[in-house]
Amino acid sequence: MELLSLLRLWTSFFYISTLLLLRVYSHSEYLIGMGSYDITGPAADVNMMGYANMEQIASGIHFRLRARTFIVSEPEGKRVVFVNIDACMASQIVTLKVIERLKARYGDLYTEKNVGISGIHTHAGPGGYLQYVVYIITSLGFVRQSFDALVDGIESSIIQAHENLRPGSVFINKGELLDAGVNRSPSAYLYNPSGERSKHKYNVDKEMTLLKFVDDQWGPVGSFNWFATHGTSMSRTNSLISGDNKGAAARFMEDWFEHKNTAERSSYSEEFISDEIPRRVSSIIDNSQDSHEELLELASNFEAQPGRPATRISSSARRVRSALRKADRPGFVSAFCQTNCGDVSPNVLGAFCLDTGLPCDFNHSTCGGRNELCYGRGPGYPDEFESTRIIGERQFKMALDLFNEASEQLRGKVDYRQVYVDFSQLNVTLVKKDGNSEVVKTCPAAMGFAFAAGTTDGPGAFDFTQGDDKGNRFWRMVRNVLKPPHKKQMDCHYPKPILLDTGEMTKPYDWAPSILSLQILRIGNLFILSVPGEFTTMAGRRLRDAVKRQLRSSGNKELSGEIHVVIAGLANGYSQYVTTFEEYQAQRYEGASTLFGPHTLSGYIQEFKKLSKSLVLDRPVQPGPQPPDLLDKQVSFLTPVVMDTTPAGDSFGDVISDVPKNLSLKRGNDLVTVVFQSACPRNDLLTEGTFALVERLEREDKTWTPVYDDDDLCLRFKWSRPKKLSSRSEATVEWRIPESASPGVYRITHFGAAKSLFGSVQHFTGSSSAFVVT
């Protein structure tokens, strides 16, 4: 008995010791959670946000937009939330309403202090979701559908991440990506001191910083990275909703991971990503060895399916990603986030004149003295879709290398600081070269003449040019009709000639923001600076360096190792650009769009140094003045959908233009197009669903398996009306058959929703005849 008791004692001791050792030496440092949700919004009639081109109206989908979230939490302590949205920028009113919902659901667990929301800066997403007048003029005012899609999607992605919280680890890695961005205002960059420029090899930041999230049980569950390049691979004439190059990179990364898991592959090859990133299903579906004749005979048995009623969930149930995601484990979430991209263009071939083919003027980006013909060229020129794919793929490849090689684990505190700052009247203390200091002020917001000139990514109109520090008499007269700036305002913004005095325009409500949110999220030795604007390359470098110096000077022993500082751009709100004081003097587009005057950057640096100091010393900060909630004041002039109709005898979903009989297409090159009777996509956004689907026939049971949908770059959903105010419409579905597609029998299917005169909405679907892919 004594021996048995002794054995039991030793067994218990060994068991308890093992548990303690596992707890002490467990590789997990935090709780981590990932989430992702559809925020595509209205794919018709709504002006796109970014280029301020009133003719750029959404009319279909290149691929869908998403909100992607990570949460990192101490096991029994603080937590931070970061949301990356496939939108032009974060919106102050969207952020405020998301926080309201989170507080209603979780109390004070998630607030404006520890939740950061950052936009990737695509210029191909629906507009109308910001609350200040100047940002919603081209969208004909506020667009409730755009706003709701963002608020709903961001909240849902955060809820997912919260419910997925599990023990895990975060790793960080960095690397140089050389061919995904060039400086579009190099003449302004040269205004920076030569000694400062000599410290940097390039005139844009080439470094990508990546986080790898590893679940203790499931292994890798996500990655987020920051890299500077504009979301302007898609041009100002594009009308298809698109996440541009960063959205494409995210699709590639997520598809790569799911394909890797499915095929039990641990690495990628050039063949794998040389053309299109393959759908995961391609490796799941049996690659039949049927002869070409047998496939044609099989396809001849399936004619076009006439339009027929469908349920609301039909498109969601048939969606490719939802069909393949395993319910017993979290889906892999990958986000390609924006940072200090202010003067960085993805059009890496340079800017050229459309009429002569010669390079544009270096200082003013003009052709014969005018800006309208000066355009940047992407690597796939003249195909903007190809440029989007290439720049996205370059970011994806870099991220994949960093992901596979990430070994530095983040350890230490999770913390945050946030403050609201009124940038219209901020006192900023500047230290002179002689050691003395002076106090200067920022200014109420205003835009310069060069703002209207646009950039080489999207030129403006009329006779505006970049680098204009004078303005002209005619446009000053036009300006004065709206609001003439007073002398104090003009002196404050000098040398910017004011075109729009937005900070002092308040009819029917505020035209521009003044109160901005500044935020730092900390995960161990990583500090994420959430800024509500677009910092230029050198402005971002100065801010990062200033914060890093402040952190090192604190004497905090936890920060004895390498300190990582990244800027999350266009975050929690939007206030346009931030240049250096020197770049501001050049008054190119970025300087003219620096709203709060020449000392804007110095104001940011001053306030972020305060925040970082309070963070490492564990001191509270005063919240600052609250920003306005202008939601109830919003107006919209966007015409609602009255009703949808079809020609007599036709039904919604009927095929108007079918595939030819006995059609046989080849992988890698061929295009198939089908046109359907359709209805306005604004009737139902089909969130987490799809308007278009490619299905492959399963020979054994004669069922159709979804293989591509409108979240794939190879499938384009285009919508149009025969006339502007017509109640009739058509949907054109184009499938560019990727090399990775499996040989077999296919068809194209369309989903939609039609509105009756009395307001009821009826969902429908229709399918093309079958065709063969070899």
Side-chain angles (χ1 to χ4, degrees):
M1 291 294 293
E2 290 182 2
L3 180 60
L4 183 60
S5 298
L6 187 61
L7 286 172
R8 286 175 176 170
L9 180 63
W10 274 107
T11 301
S12 299
F13 175 76
F14 177 78
Y15 177 74
I16 294 172
S17 300
T18 301
L19 287 177
L20 289 172
L21 284 170
L22 285 173
R23 184 178 181 86
V24 171
Y25 292 106
S26 172
H27 62 277
S28 64
E29 183 79 13
Y30 308 113
L31 299 177
I32 60 172
M34 316 297 292
S36 176
Y37 203 82
D38 188 352
I39 57 169
T40 301
D45 300 332
V46 175
N47 183 254
M48 289 182 166
M49 183 63 193
Y51 287 117
N53 176 17
M54 294 195 71
E55 297 179 357
Q56 189 188 14
I57 306 297
S59 61
I61 297 175
H62 179 208
F63 59 94
R64 286 188 171 256
L65 311 179
R66 301 196 71 80
R68 296 175 170 90
T69 298
F70 74 72
I71 300 177
V72 177
S73 174
E74 295 171 343
E76 296 180 1
K78 293 181 178 180
R79 60 185 61 194
V80 294
V81 182
F82 187 84
V83 187
N84 188 66
I85 57 174
D86 290 342
C88 193
M89 67 282 290
S91 157
Q92 190 174 78
I93 189 61
V94 168
T95 301
L96 291 174
K97 295 307 175 183
V98 168
I99 297 301
E100 278 186 14
R101 291 193 185 183
L102 293 175
K103 287 182 177 179
R105 180 181 290 267
Y106 298 112
D108 290 331
L109 191 61
Y110 301 115
T111 71
E112 65 276 1
K113 298 184 183 305
N114 67 341
V115 176
I117 303 171
S118 174
I120 64 170
H121 209 36
T122 174
H123 286 43
Y129 61 90
L130 285 85
Q131 69 171 347
Y132 297 102
V133 173
V134 75
Y135 305 126
I136 56 176
I137 291 175
T138 57
S139 61
L140 302 180
F142 191 72
V143 180
R144 188 75 197 206
Q145 273 192 320
S146 298
F147 171 81
D148 286 341
L150 281 164
V151 174
D152 293 345
I154 293 169
E155 180 195 22
S156 296
S157 72
I158 294 173
I159 292 172
Q160 277 187 27
H162 175 83
E163 294 177 348
N164 285 335
L165 278 169
R166 299 165 52 87
S169 304
V170 184
F171 296 85
I172 190 168
N173 200 6
K174 297 180 180 180
E176 279 194 345
L177 174 57
L178 301 180
D179 55 358
V182 296
N183 198 307
R184 69 184 188 188
S185 287
S187 62
Y189 181 87
L190 291 175
Y191 275 60
N192 294 305
S194 59
E196 182 180 32
R197 287 186 280 113
S198 67
K199 297 176 183 178
H200 305 280
K201 187 175 181 180
Y202 305 104
N203 63 1
V204 296
D205 284 339
K206 301 290 189 178
E207 186 172 75
M208 176 183 285
T209 300
L210 178 137
L211 298 183
K212 177 179 181 178
F213 299 89
V214 182
D215 184 288
D216 278 5
Q217 179 181 355
W218 297 114
V221 291
S223 69
F224 277 56
N225 71 74
W226 290 265
F227 177 77
T229 195
H230 249 74
T232 49
S233 292
M234 302 296 287
S235 75
R236 67 192 301 272
T237 59
N238 162 64
S239 65
L240 300 185
I241 289 176
S242 174
D244 210 278
N245 56 72
K246 286 189 176 291
R251 295 297 185 281
F252 298 161
M253 188 82 170
E254 290 174 346
D255 285 353
W256 165 81
F257 187 86
E258 295 296 339
H259 184 278
K260 178 181 74 72
N261 272 9
T262 302
E264 296 183 352
R265 291 170 58 177
S266 59
S267 61
Y268 75 98
S269 65
E270 285 299 318
E271 178 184 2
F272 179 72
I273 57 177
S274 60
D275 179 32
E276 284 280 351
I277 307 303
R279 294 298 311 163
R280 294 174 292 244
V281 294
S282 298
S283 62
I284 299 174
I285 297 173
D286 178 42
N287 192 344
S288 301
Q289 300 299 316
D290 297 320
S291 70
H292 185 228
E293 291 73 18
E294 289 175 326
L295 290 175
L296 284 172
E297 182 179 354
L298 184 60
S300 68
N301 296 319
F302 297 91
E303 297 182 348
Q305 293 289 304
R308 56 199 182 279
T311 64
R312 167 66 183 82
I313 64 171
S314 296
S315 75
S316 298
R318 300 294 289 169
R319 181 171 162 264
V320 173
R321 279 178 169 80
S322 62
L324 288 174
R325 178 166 291 172
K326 295 182 178 179
D328 60 343
R329 63 166 294 164
F332 186 84
V333 178
S334 181
F336 286 68
C337 312
Q338 196 56 270
T339 178
N340 55 317
C341 69
D343 53 359
V344 188
S345 171
N347 297 311
V348 294
L349 298 185
F352 296 87
C353 297
L354 294 181
D355 54 348
T356 66
L358 297 174
C360 303
D361 175 79
F362 180 76
N363 290 313
H364 302 285
S365 297
T366 54
C367 300
R370 301 182 66 87
N371 71 82
E372 293 94 329
L373 296 178
C374 177
Y375 277 88
R377 295 179 180 178
Y381 175 82
D383 186 341
E384 61 190 297
F385 294 95
E386 182 66 2
S387 291
T388 298
R389 184 193 67 79
I390 293 171
I391 296 297
E393 186 175 280
R394 288 173 181 176
Q395 292 177 78
F396 158 64
K397 287 182 178 181
M398 182 76 255
L400 190 55
D401 288 341
L402 296 177
F403 180 85
N404 286 332
E405 297 169 6
S407 59
E408 180 185 345
Q409 186 172 347
L410 293 179
R411 302 180 184 275
K413 293 179 65 175
V414 173
D415 208 348
Y416 47 84
R417 288 294 184 277
Q418 184 268 346
V419 66
Y420 288 113
V421 178
D422 186 347
F423 267 80
S424 69
Q425 49 186 352
L426 180 65
N427 289 323
V428 182
T429 301
L430 301 179
V431 178
K432 297 181 179 180
K433 292 181 179 180
D434 61 7
N436 294 320
S437 62
E438 66 172 325
V439 177
V440 297
K441 274 184 172 290
T442 56
C443 326
M447 299 177 182
F449 274 69
F451 157 78
T455 71
T456 56
D457 291 335
F462 307 110
D463 54 349
F464 295 101
T465 59
Q466 296 197 66
D468 182 1
D469 60 0
K470 299 288 191 300
N472 68 60
R473 180 177 298 179
F474 173 77
W475 288 111
R476 279 196 294 270
M477 290 172 58
V478 174
R479 171 200 69 190
N480 291 343
V481 172
L482 293 172
K483 169 68 173 66
H486 50 73
K487 184 177 185 304
K488 181 180 178 183
Q489 176 77 326
M490 291 190 289
D491 290 343
C492 187
H493 279 274
Y494 182 82
K496 177 200 294 177
I498 296 175
L499 176 64
L500 290 173
D501 191 14
T502 53
E504 299 183 316
M505 297 167 69
T506 57
K507 304 292 184 182
Y509 47 88
D510 292 351
W511 278 55
S514 58
I515 299 172
L516 307 178
S517 173
L518 309 186
Q519 180 189 62
I520 302 179
L521 305 178
R522 177 185 179 183
I523 308 171
N525 277 20
L526 169 67
F527 296 83
I528 302 170
L529 314 182
S530 300
V531 301
E534 304 174 59
F535 278 57
T536 61
T537 298
M538 195 64 85
R541 288 168 177 169
R542 289 184 189 178
L543 176 61
R544 289 196 305 263
D545 290 345
V547 169
K548 194 173 291 188
R549 286 194 301 269
Q550 181 66 52
L551 293 171
R552 289 203 180 281
S553 67
S554 67
N556 191 320
K557 294 181 179 179
E558 293 180 352
L559 300 177
S560 57
E562 183 177 2
I563 297 174
H564 306 284
V565 178
V566 297
I567 292 173
L570 307 112
N572 299 326
Y574 185 62
S575 60
Q576 294 174 246
Y577 284 74
V578 180
T579 65
T580 66
F581 178 86
E582 294 83 359
E583 291 166 347
Y584 187 89
Q585 310 306 307
Q587 277 303 294
R588 282 181 61 88
Y589 174 83
E590 295 81 13
S593 304
T594 296
L595 290 188
F596 305 107
H599 303 296
T600 301
L601 175 60
S602 297
Y604 270 99
I605 290 174
Q606 171 182 280
E607 298 306 305
F608 267 105
K609 287 173 69 176
K610 292 178 183 177
L611 271 186
S612 57
K613 184 176 181 179
S614 68
L615 183 63
V616 294
L617 297 180
D618 200 23
R619 295 174 180 171
V621 295
Q622 295 299 313
Q626 291 296 302
D629 181 340
L630 303 176
L631 187 59
D632 292 339
K633 296 185 177 182
Q634 299 300 315
V635 294
S636 176
F637 298 98
L638 179 66
T639 305
V641 179
V642 178
M643 63 181 296
D644 297 283
T645 62
T646 63
D650 287 357
S651 300
F652 293 107
D654 281 356
V655 175
I656 299 174
S657 177
D658 200 6
V659 298
K661 287 186 177 181
N662 300 317
L663 178 64
S664 181
L665 300 166
K666 295 186 181 297
R667 294 173 291 165
N669 295 307
D670 287 349
L671 168 70
V672 59
T673 301
V674 181
V675 183
F676 298 87
Q677 291 285 1
S678 193
C680 185
R682 290 162 60 198
N683 295 325
D684 190 325
L685 306 183
L686 298 187
T687 301
E688 289 291 349
T690 183
F691 287 102
L693 196 65
V694 176
E695 298 174 295
R696 183 180 186 273
L697 182 67
E698 295 296 303
R699 179 160 186 176
E700 290 75 17
D701 55 7
K702 301 298 187 293
T703 59
W704 294 95
T705 298
V707 288
Y708 300 92
D709 58 28
D710 67 12
D711 204 13
D712 286 287
L713 273 71
C714 64
L715 186 67
R716 298 176 194 170
F717 166 70
K718 299 180 177 181
W719 178 85
S720 63
R721 290 187 178 99
K723 296 180 181 178
K724 187 173 183 179
L725 298 179
S726 175
S727 59
R728 298 179 184 178
S729 63
E730 299 176 355
T732 301
V733 181
E734 297 177 352
W735 182 36
R736 287 159 177 77
I737 304 173
E739 190 68 44
S740 58
S742 300
V745 175
Y746 288 83
R747 72 176 184 182
I748 305 292
T749 294
H750 169 47
F751 295 96
K755 185 178 182 179
S756 72
L757 180 61
F758 302 103
S760 62
V761 173
Q762 175 67 54
H763 291 82
F764 63 85
T765 187
S767 300
S768 73
S769 298
F771 55 93
V772 170
V773 172
T774 58

